[in-house]
Amino acid sequence: MKGEKQATGDQQPKITLAPKVNDFSLTICTVNGSGSTTANNTLYRALFRMGIPVSGKNIFPSNIKGLPTWFAIRISKDGYLARVAHDDIIVAMNPKTFAEDLDYCVPGGVVFYADHINLPVQREDIITYPMPIKELIKKADVPRNLRDYMANMLYVGIVSQMLGICMESIQQVLRFQFISKPSVADSNYETVLIGAKWAKANLEKKDRYSVATMPALKDHIMADGNTAGALGALYGGVEFCGWYPITPATSMVESMMFFAPQLRKDPKTDKETYVIEQAEDELAAIGMVCGAGWAGLRSMTSTSGPGLSLMTEYLGLAYYAEIPVVVWDVQRVGPSTGLPTRTGQGDLTMSYFLGHGDTDHIILIPGSVNECFEFGWQAFDFAERFQTPILILSDLDLGMNQWMTKRFIYPDKPIDRGKVLWEEDLERLKGEWGRYQDVDGDGIPYRTLMGNKDPRAAYFARGTGHDEYGKYSENPQIWKAMLDRIKRKFETARSILPNPVLRKKNGAKIGLIAMGSTDPAVFEAQDLLVQAGLATDYLRIRAIPFSDEVKHFILAHECNYVLELNRDGQLHQILTLNYQELSGKMISLSISDGMPMTAAWVQTQVMEKENK
Amino acid sequence: MNEKPAAQVEVNAAGLSRGDYQGEPSTLCPGCGHNTISSQILTACYELNLIPEQIVKFSGIGCSSKSPTYFLKRSFGFNGLHGRMPSLALGALFADRTIKGIGISGDGDTASIGFGQFKHIIRRNMPMVYIIENNGVYGLTKGQFSATAEKGLELKHQGRNPYIPIDLAKEALISGASFVARSFSGDAKQVRELIKAAISHYGTAVIDIISPCVTFNNREDTLHSYVWGRQHEAPLHDISYVPYRKAILLGEFEEGTTQEVKLHDGSVVILKKLETDYDPTDKWHALRILEEAEMNRWLITGLIYINPTQPTLFDFHDLVDQPLNRLEVDRIRPDAESLEKLNDSMY
Ligand SMILES: Cc1ncc(C[n+]2csc(CCOP(=O)(O)OP(=O)(O)O)c2C)c(N)n1
Ligand code: SF4
Ligand SMILES: [Mg+2]
């Protein structure tokens, strides 16, 4: 289920193994719909409050209740946030997956298990702690309907006691999670304490894992990419959002609905400065968004692969009629309905070529939650500056998981509304203007907006062939000139879009190229490779069309590994198309199994290719 | 800015001549019903003294959807995608709620590919005029059956249509439309008056206008042909639109045969009933009339249903008064302090 399994060691657990402090992984195995989310988040956030770098991944089914769910926490004093495929510690609450879950435990690892799981523990090389959940819950005197839910709080108490997670942090987190219901926070905490007390009195510590407080992570926050994207949009001045629910994009608009009333009501009148409209489908969502963008609103939608497929025709029109819109694709795994609750980077090629005929699209690829915020507001400036759709490719891992990330930074540039002519501008130009004229030589024309009262302002927008004034035309020269001019916009964009991020290692001759949410895995792999004697430089691409730095990077390295989460190596394909003369310098390393990339995978793949 | 028209040119109360409402020359077939509708839209706007800049046009794809180029050149317009005019209009109209939206669609555009969007714009009661230029065929793709084509109709290359037609007026009504009318492109006066009423209505105003395709569907015995239309039209009532400030014209109507429906903008539609018991505010009656008409193969024309007080999509959003597309940048970006507070709350 979770990728590579552990080879079971023959040896007995050695209690004498060196202690591991703030450096291990822990997976909680439950059933979805059992209310374990609050418990898992409590553990997770308590660790963060102790100043320990953590990452958490919710691996969940496309289902509402009854199927297995895993919550994998990685604790890393060195700040590595990527997924690891093995587990040091397992908290087993789901009898159905128990046997399989054990397979992922490392030799010398630990299993906490609810003792109603009446199954043999087949492994002799791990340490087991049974937890009398049923019995304890009876003692806890919780109402019958809350028993399952509270059982989760018991493992929070037991695990915290055994690992040394600070009870005060747990209490703070619960108060934060139930900010408006202090009594609920208190009753949860009492249950946690029952678990902790029992563990203290009954379990003898035999394993090597523990946590210890570190200096506070002051410049960090904990957030998910979808919330970050929504906040970015709200600070970017979004005025219209048309959308249709789809995992894993839904929570972006839901966050927007949550935050918009507090952030975007007009201070003077208390009225709204935004519209969020749930459409009847993605065909309509993007139609609304194109209409709004055309009429001068900062306009966006958020969707995932199947939705983007449906939006394609309108986005092609937006490309050719030059309409600013922002489209978030929070990627899941395709083709087809695929794995709706798993992560991937499989929509890159589709986004790059989106639409029939010749098209170009600006694609932004955030690699952290913080960048989701940043690109969230910047995208509107780019859309209006270049008068074209901006596609932002996030993914489920980035969008839906809670990440430790840098604090959001307030936009450092004023809002750029692009080239718009209002009444006074037309007056100044004596009405001399053409919607699709390239006056400034950058390929970007001027536009007027519906509502402009000057009789010379109006033009007729269309997806059919048109001349510089927007008038219908089938003239071959005009058609060609128009399409060539549009292409120039993307040349202009190349140097203005977010630059790639470079991380160099001394003496590296090998390049690693990646994008988006695989950043933590590639970052960590770079360090692992140095330890294994292989220095690499790492370039994280953040935007397409590529800036010249990408080419320079490829040129500067003997060999470049392009790492990504899809079957066909889509980034590699696009790089090869762009730099055909350098194609011999690029090797594709890609995987699509629905899981976030691990550093170990990167390391193994690169070492294999390097014959090391 | 406006050039003063020469003294002899007739102007309306807005000081504009008919020329100010014109569009590009039509490239549709001579005699196409759609052209008559375009010219009635033009006349309606002229007679209502609307400023072209206060209007925005939308359309889908089809011969019908091409027609917005042929009227109101001074109005903004957007020719969108096949069947997806409503969503385009919805998004755009939020940018400036003082602008009147006129959507033009065809029967292929609305009753097939765009059926979902048609129903949903009605359900939202988005304030706009929604005209379907209904000819029972796909004109632009050269004469395939549309979903409003009559059962049993035979066309040259298509053979016989085995399916029962979709009645767009009925569909609008059962979707909860606040304004449903039908007319026939050959009845210029009625088309014009219904368009005026629709423009004044606050909500989605659907007008299904039978508009014969002279090239592909004009056999004399079909529902969408000129000859058939003229002979089988059964006007519900004469309708005359009278702007509020000229209410004095009311005297023209005979007492006892008229009914007033007050529209949102304060103007009044006066309905002259031919059937003395017809009440266009009675939905149940409207449905029955349409069912009866279908059984009798009648073409009911006129204002079939109206509810001027039904809440609209704009009412569900509590928006600032100014046009959203003119909001100053500092009103759409929250301050830095608010972000610091948010940062502090995320741990
Ligand atoms: C997505 C898509 N599918 C098909 C077409 C081809 N097409 C163009 S017009 C049309 C039918 C138009 O029929 P109708 O709306 O009745 O307009 P009319 O020409 O009869 O006025 C079709 C199918 C298209 N433009 N787009
Ligand atoms: S083909 Fe028919 S619908 Fe199209 S322009 Fe000609 S007459 Fe009109
Ligand atoms: Mg038609």
Side-chain angles (χ1 to χ4, degrees), chain A residues 313, chain B residues 34 61-64 82 106-109 135 137-141:
Chain A
E313 195 185 358
Chain B
H34 302 348
I61 298 285
C63 296
S64 34
H82 198 20
D107 44 320
D109 203 57
N135 52 15
V137 290
Y138 287 11
L140 195 59
T141 50

Side-chain angles (χ1 to χ4, degrees), chain A residues 77 122 131 153 182 268 301 308 329 400 468 511:
Chain A
K77 59 180 178 354
Q122 302 283 18
M131 305 182 290
M153 284 298 158
K268 278 182 243 156
T301 189
L308 190 62
D329 174 8
M400 287 187 74
E468 289 187 321

Side-chain angles (χ1 to χ4, degrees), chain A residues 246-249 302-309 328-332 347:
Chain A
I246 184 167
T247 304
S302 145
T303 189
S304 193
L308 190 62
S309 293
W328 280 82
D329 174 8
V330 187
Q331 296 166 98
R332 54 196 233 179
D347 294 349

Side-chain angles (χ1 to χ4, degrees), chain A residues 187-214:
Chain A
S187 65
N188 275 280
Y189 186 57
E190 272 163 37
T191 313
V192 172
L193 285 180
I194 289 173
K197 234 170 106 184
W198 175 86
K200 192 171 185 185
N202 297 284
L203 294 180
E204 184 201 339
K205 175 107 180 148
K206 290 181 283 185
D207 65 272
R208 60 175 178 150
Y209 303 103
S210 65
V211 299
T213 306
M214 286 172 68

Side-chain angles (χ1 to χ4, degrees), chain B residues 21 40-51 54-56 71-72 98-103 127-131 179 191-207 241 263-267 269 306:
Chain B
Y21 296 84
Q40 292 318 316
I41 294 172
L42 186 160
T43 309
C45 293
Y46 172 79
E47 290 180 3
L48 284 175
N49 306 309
L50 295 175
I51 313 284
Q54 290 174 339
I55 301 168
V56 58
F71 57 86
L72 297 174
T98 65
I99 310 290
K100 258 286 162 196
I102 300 180
M128 67 179 286
V129 178
Y130 190 135
I131 294 172
F179 182 113
V191 169
R192 184 169 67 243
E193 297 307 328
L194 284 173
I195 290 171
K196 287 191 199 169
I199 288 175
S200 305
H201 178 67
Y202 182 55
T204 311
V206 177
I207 318 180
Y241 170 76
L263 297 176
H264 174 80
D265 62 359
S267 55
V269 174
I306 185 165

